Amino acid sequence: MTDTETAADSGIRARIVEAATRLLREQGVRGVTTRAVSQAAGVQAPTIYRQFGDKDGLIDAVAEHVMATYVAAKSETAATENGDPIADLRAAWQAHIDFGLANPGLYALLNNPDRAGHSPATEAGIEVLRARVRRVAAAGLLRVDEARAVAMIHAAGSGTVLALLGTTPADRDPGLSDALFDAVTAGILATAPATTDPGPTAVAVTFSTVLADLPALTDAERALMAEWLTRSLTHLRHSTTR
């Protein structure tokens, strides 16, 4: 295949994905039929099968496209002007809620357990959340380990979207999102930086964020120290649940 043919093929694929995305947003999953997409994209039905294999392949491509666009937009606004890591985390939470409510069909696809575990775009979205949580940890404001914080925020955010989508717009509680964010962060954030109000978990979490930058340590020493920190955090996590 020549470069010209490859470019043309990519253009057709992009046009099909854009048409299917538009139909999905306007009509939901049921509106994304091969006939409807081919008409909207101005291609023959066999072209869709050649490009994507089947309808499921097309739906996956649409979901990946929209999620990738969303993740890119979140990454571009990775920090607030005042550099407040908690404000950044809240902004990321609200962006997630807004996206889910604006794209219910796509959100359901992106959070389908059958595809979420192997979706590069979904993982990229979680990676953005990890970066926000890392900033909170580096500021000494996290009192659980980073993995636990990411898991709690991700689970709560997804649950919030599903709860709101399960309610008619007129009956939705406008304060539910903020209330749940506050409830989750109350369980994971320290009341003061670890440097002023030290606790073993907060100190260990904060120290782990700077471990890679410590001078005069070999890679083996850093790896050993990271293992000690991970072991300590695991022990602290288990001891608080007994």
Side-chain angles (χ1 to χ4, degrees), residues 20-21 23-25 27-37 55 58-59 62:
T21 300
L23 287 169
L24 185 58
R25 282 176 171 157
Q27 303 177 27
V29 178
R30 293 182 180 179
V32 187
T33 65
T34 302
R35 180 177 180 181
V37 173
K55 180 181 174 180
L58 173 60
I59 292 296
V62 169

Side-chain angles (χ1 to χ4, degrees), residues 77-163:
T77 57
T80 58
E81 291 183 0
N82 62 10
D84 182 347
I86 306 302
D88 290 344
L89 191 61
R90 184 182 289 274
W93 168 278
Q94 192 57 52
H96 180 83
I97 304 301
D98 292 342
F99 173 82
L101 295 182
N103 303 276
L106 286 169
Y107 191 82
L109 289 172
L110 292 169
N111 287 274
N112 185 325
D114 292 334
R115 70 178 309 281
H118 58 79
S119 166
T122 299
E123 175 57 31
I126 296 176
E127 191 59 38
V128 171
L129 174 59
R130 290 193 185 105
R132 300 290 179 94
V133 170
R134 169 56 64 95
R135 291 189 66 233
V136 174
L141 295 170
L142 202 61
R143 63 186 180 92
V144 300
D145 61 87
E146 291 180 56
R148 170 64 67 87
V150 169
M152 289 177 66
I153 295 169
H154 179 65
S158 298
T160 300
V161 174
L162 293 176

Side-chain angles (χ1 to χ4, degrees), residues 152-221:
M152 289 177 66
I153 295 169
H154 179 65
S158 298
T160 300
V161 174
L162 293 176
L164 291 171
L165 288 176
T167 307
T168 60
D171 294 331
R172 287 173 187 166
D173 178 355
L176 181 64
S177 175
D178 284 340
L180 285 170
F181 177 83
D182 291 340
V184 172
T185 54
I188 66 174
L189 297 181
T191 56
T195 53
T196 59
D197 184 20
T201 301
V203 170
V205 169
T206 304
F207 182 62
S208 67
T209 67
V210 299
L211 180 58
D213 300 321
L214 290 178
L217 292 178
T218 66
D219 290 341
E221 289 169 337

Side-chain angles (χ1 to χ4, degrees), residues 34 48-60:
T34 302
I48 295 177
Y49 294 118
R50 178 170 60 83
Q51 290 281 348
F52 304 98
D54 54 20
K55 180 181 174 180
D56 286 343
L58 173 60
I59 292 296
D60 278 347

